[in-house]
Amino acid sequence: MPDEIATLYRIGTVVSVEGDLSTIRVEPDYVDGLYRIDTADYLDILFWIPLDRGVLRVHPHGDPERKLRGVFSTRSPVRPNPIGLTRVKLVSHDGATIVVRGLDALIDTAVVDIKIGEGPTHGN
Amino acid sequence: MPDEIATLYRIGTVVSVEGDLSTIRVEPDYVDGLYRIDTADYLDILFWIPLDRGVLRVHPHGDPERKLRGVFSTRSPVRPNPIGLTRVKLVSHDGATIVVRGLDALIDTAVVDIKIGEGPTHGN
């Protein structure tokens, strides 16, 4: 049996997606965690993907022409702990809301963490 | 009250740290997720940090000379969902074990996800 080590809380939600711009609304309890985020250029957004947790091999990018790989050597959303991770550009911040560019998540996705992005970017 | 959205499973453990080399042993149930990881150069390691989840402002790097920031504009280990994230170099893979360079986690840390690192590295 898998060893359960922690419970994740929703710290925010993707409330709109328009083109490459996504708006995240942070929960009232956690808004203070955005204090002085305005000075950040890039952020790493961690979000929860409610997909199958039992698959361990996938075709990269869902392309059957590509050889199967273990999920840990892909960025497939299907994995035992389906946490998505995207480096994004911070566009704006107003109260509980941030707008970011390049987030690879659908509307209504639960956000579980936001970190300042250190080092070079991932192409966004 | 925070909205609980998911349970995290331990997929592996940091079993040794020597200098900048760390060994991760993946749980038997999840070893197949390492299939063909040998071709990866860099990995993003996500791990769980059993620290206080209630702090929302910190002094960056614990330095009281630095102005307080919201935790979401830092990479402080203290945050509502204390998931650590480090880009590492894959050094070797043998069965359930991988050796990586540059992991910022203590021995016995629970690993919750491993992803191939796309794009430029974070300085490791």
Side-chain angles (χ1 to χ4, degrees), chain A residues 3-12 46-51 53 79-84 109-112, chain B residues 2-10 48 53 80-83 112:
Chain A
D3 177 16
E4 298 186 3
I5 52 167
T7 298
L8 288 182
Y9 301 139
R10 177 191 300 269
I11 66 105
L46 281 67
F47 50 96
W48 187 257
I49 308 158
L51 287 179
R53 305 179 70 164
R79 47 188 55 252
N81 291 306
I83 300 169
T109 297
V111 175
V112 297
Chain B
D3 177 16
E4 298 186 1
I5 53 167
T7 298
L8 289 182
Y9 301 140
R10 178 192 299 267
W48 186 257
R53 305 179 70 162
N81 291 306
I83 299 169
V112 297

Side-chain angles (χ1 to χ4, degrees), chain B residues 2-123:
Chain B
D3 177 16
E4 298 186 1
I5 53 167
T7 298
L8 289 182
Y9 301 140
R10 178 192 299 267
I11 65 106
T13 306
V14 178
V15 292
S16 80
V17 178
E18 292 177 37
D20 64 351
L21 294 181
S22 302
T23 301
I24 296 170
R25 185 178 303 143
V26 170
E27 296 290 310
D29 284 354
Y30 300 123
V31 169
D32 204 41
L34 296 176
Y35 178 59
R36 297 184 66 225
I37 204 167
D38 314 66
T39 59
D41 286 326
Y42 291 92
L43 301 171
D44 286 334
I45 308 291
L46 281 67
F47 50 96
W48 186 257
I49 308 159
L51 288 179
D52 187 348
R53 305 179 70 162
V55 175
L56 291 175
R57 292 189 185 193
V58 295
H59 295 285
H61 303 284
D63 177 358
E65 300 286 312
R66 298 182 67 168
K67 283 188 191 164
L68 283 170
R69 296 186 71 95
V71 291
F72 299 140
S73 69
T74 74
R75 293 180 82 91
S76 163
V78 178
R79 46 187 58 247
N81 291 306
I83 299 169
L85 166 62
T86 311
R87 173 70 56 95
V88 302
K89 182 154 186 15
L90 177 62
V91 175
S92 64
H93 167 221
D94 182 15
T97 299
I98 59 173
V99 176
V100 301
R101 185 183 305 278
L103 182 64
D104 187 21
L106 302 174
I107 193 166
D108 292 335
T109 297
V111 175
V112 297
D113 200 11
I114 300 169
K115 298 179 191 293
I116 198 164
E118 289 179 342
T121 69
H122 294 180

Side-chain angles (χ1 to χ4, degrees), chain A residues 30 35 37 69 81 84 92 97 110 114:
Chain A
Y30 300 123
Y35 178 59
I37 203 166
R69 296 185 69 96
N81 291 306
S92 64
T97 299
I114 300 170

Side-chain angles (χ1 to χ4, degrees), chain A residues 2 6 42 58 62 71 73 78 89 101 104:
Chain A
Y42 291 91
V58 296
V71 291
S73 69
V78 178
K89 181 155 186 17
R101 186 184 304 278
D104 186 21

